[in-house]
Amino acid sequence: MTVDTIFALSSGAPPAGIAVIRVSGPSARIALEQLCGQVPAARRASFRQLADPQDGTPLDATMVLWLPGPGTATGEDSAELHLHGGRAVVAAVEAVLARLPGLRRAEPGEFTRRAFANGRIDLNEAEGLADLLTAETELQRRSALAMTEGALSRAVEAWRSEVLSLGAKLEAALDFADEDDVDDVAAMPEGFAAEVGALAYTIGTWLDRPRAEPLREGFRVVLAGPPNAGKSTLFNALVEQDAAITAAEPGTTRDVLTQSIAIAGVPFTFADTAGLRDEGAGEIERIGIARARAEAERADLILWLGPEGQGPTGGTVALWEISARCDDPDAGHKQHARHCLSAMTGEGLEALRADLVDHARQSLPAPGQAALNERQHHLLSALRAALVTAQDDIDPLLAAESLRLARRALDGLAGRAGTEDMLDALFGRFCIGK
């Protein structure tokens, strides 16, 4: 199969001090020869004059790198052109590259996808890289970096070796039974159940870790209560901008309004919701109330500004009682409020923010800890279930089948058994040039 050579601007959008164009594929060397006249020494930055091979028109005086495969980011022959970062310079070089035979512009994430296809990274590292590119807080950056650097990948390979070793022991037990021509079921290898149980326990410790979704999307805090309870005012104070309309008229907020911010390096998503009431609401407001109840169900934490003890109950969502008008002597104050504050004067707001940060950190991965996303958690759950079944099996044949399912889950984790649709969705998250 013929592999195209791809190119793209991999640095920030011009104008900039430097613009880096990456080229990867079998024609990368030819492209350098066409632009520079000769290929520089491998893996050494070299100063070259770039010119249009069609008519010799000068393009730029720049640094170039020649990186022969397979020891490159993509596993292919690669080149980098470190241009002056003006729009016209970049456009001129890209236009010349697009005319060269066998070259085309890269699609979003195509460089990383080639790295995955060529075994330079596995699927977990690719997902970590995607999260690293979108990280906006220090916690997100450190967790994504741990995944990118192979924290989960190394664990998966170690687990795979253990599963293969356990499978070899089962095969030996079955072969021994065949050689002795025994009619009874072959005996399980000595210590097999204990080894499988220890591995299942290790997998369980990973499954017990905080998940990646709250870290990526932000710890979700929903402000809930009846109309005119001060939800929108508190929402504006927490996100430090007038994002929500505030008014004395009941039913001002009729839809869910969300805002993502970082507090002390911890990502949050705050949601302001329609006031909850059973009577007096019009048709549009009733829709907003239904959405508010749905938002409360998917929250990580609810700040309840309504009457004490009347907040949403059931499920596993934490709920804090909030007295939101401590500056108003006529307002009824809750006996067991977690926080008494005033969004108008700022009293109690810093204490609430500090409490939110401490609470969220308990639900988010520790700094530098790799966190499982939904796909990884699902496959690790399947892996652990297969191991638990193998531990309980008394027939080596049945145990061997359970280990086969365990290996399939491990292959899925590393991306050895993935669907094209899933891969398209993942690499589509990357920018062009990555």
Side-chain angles (χ1 to χ4, degrees), residues 219-224 231-232 235 238-239 253 255-260 268-274 292 295-296 298-299 301 303:
F219 188 81
R220 199 168 193 87
V221 180
V222 171
L223 284 69
K231 300 182 299 299
S232 296
F235 175 83
L238 287 170
V239 303
T253 302
D255 204 348
V256 176
L257 179 63
T258 61
Q259 187 76 27
S260 296
F268 286 91
T269 294
F270 289 99
D272 184 24
T273 60
E295 190 69 24
R298 61 189 290 256
L301 172 66
L303 302 184

Side-chain angles (χ1 to χ4, degrees), residues 378-402:
H378 173 74
L379 289 168
L380 269 189
S381 298
L383 169 60
R384 186 179 183 278
L387 292 172
V388 169
T389 302
Q391 182 184 15
D392 295 337
D393 284 330
I394 59 174
D395 185 338
L397 285 172
L398 296 177
E401 173 60 18
S402 296

Side-chain angles (χ1 to χ4, degrees), residues 340-366:
C340 186
L341 52 87
S342 169
M344 297 296 294
T345 67
E347 181 181 350
L349 277 177
E350 287 306 311
L352 173 60
R353 288 193 181 98
D355 200 5
L356 286 169
V357 168
D358 290 341
H359 182 75
R361 279 178 172 157
Q362 297 175 20
S363 302
L364 297 174

Side-chain angles (χ1 to χ4, degrees), residues 6-10 20-23 94 105-106 111 432-434:
I6 56 175
F7 69 90
L9 178 67
S10 293
V20 180
I21 291 182
R22 301 173 70 192
V23 184
E94 287 184 326
R105 297 178 187 271
F111 287 95
I432 294 173
K434 190 59 182 174

